[in-house]
Amino acid sequence: MFDPRDEAFLADPYPVFDSLRAGGEVRWHEGLGLAVAVSHAACSAVLRDRSAGRLWTDRTPVESFAAFNLLHQNSLLENEPPRHTRLRRLISAAFARGHTARLSPWVASVASSLVSSLAAAIAADGSADLLAHVAAPLPVEVIAELLGVPAADRHRLQPWSNAIVKMYEYDLAPPLAAAAESAAAEFVAYLRSLAATRATAPGDDLVSDLVSVRDGSDRLTDDELVGTAVLLLMAGHEATVNVIGNGVLALLRNRSEWERLVASPALLPTAVEELIRYDAPLQLFERTATAPTTIAGYDLAPGERVAALLGAAARDPLVFDRPAALDVGRSPNPHLGFGAGIHYCVGAPLARVEVAAALSALVTQLPDLRLADEPTRRGEFVIRGLRTLPVTTVPRRYG
């Protein structure tokens, strides 16, 4: 099995996943204390099987994690039918009010501006960090605009998200857990205030729509609204920043695919899907058996947990031709990066818009982009991403 803290594994987990698949589609992981699905078929079954649900268990001691637990008790992601059905219906109705279409031109403009800033930093200093200039700020700006967070407060969102998502790792150090709870409490208080403001002074933002959306007499509670907004920030920010970071690194290390995208921007839609598949930003997604069930021949009793290793599913040779190869034109591409079944990501259309906008601006403005130095990787396994991505440009040679 693998050690999720091992630096060599974190640098490149995919050969280990290949070895695991050879030994069976579902395997027991002693260190994690659960079964892990490593084939595409098994991971898909974990995500779709109605006998394997998202059953939230409060972080303990509960008195130390009141805000963190509140967010997840009321999250779409952590609930099963019938409550999930109700939450999804209300949240989808709010999203259906045209937010992705409304934001798409604005996202393209912000991405272009951020890449211009990156280009200026490279021109001034010879190199710059693509994460700091583009990958990290873009999703924060988009989620903030989506939610209607005032410009003066937007700098608070990324630190809150970064702190809270540490709780999804295994064997988290107590100081990091305390920091996650503190961030969750601050974010909950902020969103309660924002929602109260939008209740009396609505705007074009999603928080206003979440406040006002109704299904007959049914509406989101204050806690459900807060849980939804925080889920959108954490899922939307963490996934997008890491798709852009991991994806640009993959393109720069596979130069022919970068050049292919520069020459053929029409490949952007398939390139987005391929970058999500090739180096998955979310590597592991847990479910818990709610009834006796069998996943790829592996029996689970009620209460036993199983995890879909999404990075392993994305490299399954039974589903993907040349799975270790980056192919920006790959089609079809049935990756599981946005989940599957009833928990399929509600924000997937907006995430695709963001990644495509970033890639479009990069290949248009900086076609000669190169790695300036080795990037540094984050030390977490579940959420896979980079700390830095130093890039530069070189003159294009003609003739």
Side-chain angles (χ1 to χ4, degrees):
M1 271 297 171
F2 58 88
D3 180 353
R5 298 160 298 183
D6 179 67
E7 290 186 5
F9 170 75
L10 292 175
D12 185 6
Y14 300 108
V16 176
F17 293 158
D18 291 342
S19 298
L20 290 179
R21 268 196 310 275
E25 293 186 81
V26 182
R27 310 278 299 281
W28 175 257
H29 192 297
E30 188 65 37
L32 300 181
L34 46 69
V36 292
V38 295
S39 72
H40 187 281
C43 287
S44 182
V46 168
L47 297 176
R48 298 174 190 276
D49 195 319
R50 299 307 313 126
S51 296
R54 290 288 291 186
L55 302 182
W56 174 252
T57 300
D58 280 345
R59 182 80 177 208
T60 56
V62 292
E63 61 271 16
S64 297
F65 296 100
F68 181 81
N69 288 333
L70 179 147
L71 293 177
H72 292 77
Q73 291 161 1
N74 294 282
S75 170
L76 177 69
L77 187 62
E78 304 294 351
N79 280 277
E80 291 295 303
R83 192 181 184 196
H84 176 277
T85 306
R86 171 183 158 270
L87 287 173
R88 182 109 189 177
R89 183 170 59 246
L90 289 166
I91 293 166
S92 296
F95 253 101
R97 295 180 180 180
H99 290 288
T100 299
R102 171 177 68 86
L103 289 174
S104 291
W106 179 86
V107 172
S109 175
V110 172
S112 179
S113 177
L114 292 172
V115 172
S116 294
S117 170
L118 174 67
I122 292 172
D125 301 323
S127 66
D129 183 2
L130 188 141
L131 254 66
H133 284 273
V134 180
L138 177 61
V140 170
E141 285 296 314
V142 172
I143 296 298
E145 187 74 11
L146 174 69
L147 296 177
V149 175
D153 296 333
R154 293 183 178 185
H155 68 281
R156 306 171 71 183
L157 298 185
Q158 185 175 344
W160 281 337
S161 177
N162 288 345
I164 295 169
V165 299
K166 294 290 193 300
M167 290 285 276
Y168 305 137
E169 302 297 331
Y170 293 85
D171 298 323
L172 187 68
L176 294 177
E181 171 62 18
S182 177
E186 291 178 16
F187 203 4
V188 167
Y190 180 84
L191 285 168
R192 288 198 196 286
S193 175
L194 182 63
T197 299
R198 293 293 181 265
T200 57
D204 293 332
D205 55 89
L206 183 64
V207 168
S208 295
D209 287 341
L210 291 172
V211 169
S212 65
V213 72
R214 297 288 188 276
D215 183 10
S217 62
D218 192 18
R219 59 178 290 272
L220 294 174
T221 67
D222 291 346
D223 287 348
E224 289 167 349
L225 190 153
V226 168
T228 298
V230 173
L231 172 63
L232 289 171
L233 171 67
M234 294 190 301
H237 171 257
E238 293 296 330
T240 306
V241 66
N242 293 322
V243 169
I244 294 171
N246 295 348
V248 173
L249 175 60
L251 286 166
L252 297 182
R253 283 182 167 164
N254 293 267
R255 192 71 202 175
S256 62
E257 294 303 293
W258 172 267
E259 297 289 353
R260 189 178 172 199
L261 196 55
V262 169
S264 303
L267 290 172
L268 278 168
T270 53
V272 170
E273 305 304 318
E274 177 68 345
L275 297 186
I276 295 168
R277 179 201 74 86
Y278 183 78
D279 198 4
L282 178 65
Q283 290 281 319
L284 179 149
F285 192 73
E286 273 193 34
R287 306 297 290 266
T288 302
T290 58
T293 189
T294 301
I295 303 290
Y298 190 97
D299 295 328
L300 293 165
E304 291 184 336
R305 296 180 301 150
V306 59
L309 286 183
L310 302 180
R315 300 290 185 99
D316 190 336
L318 295 180
V319 176
F320 301 99
D321 180 46
R322 300 183 306 118
L326 184 70
D327 177 2
V328 296
R330 186 183 296 273
S331 183
N333 192 340
H335 65 77
L336 300 172
F338 288 120
I342 67 168
H343 288 292
Y344 185 82
C345 177
V346 70
L350 185 57
R352 288 184 168 106
V353 167
E354 292 178 64
V355 178
L359 289 178
S360 177
L362 286 166
V363 298
T364 300
Q365 295 187 44
L366 295 169
D368 298 308
L369 199 68
R370 298 284 196 283
L371 285 175
D373 203 347
E374 278 301 303
T376 56
R377 184 163 291 285
R378 290 168 53 165
E380 296 90 34
F381 162 58
V382 175
I383 297 176
R384 178 171 172 79
L386 301 170
R387 292 190 189 280
T388 64
L389 182 55
V391 293
T392 187
T393 56
V394 295
R396 183 178 286 262
R397 296 179 179 177
Y398 298 93

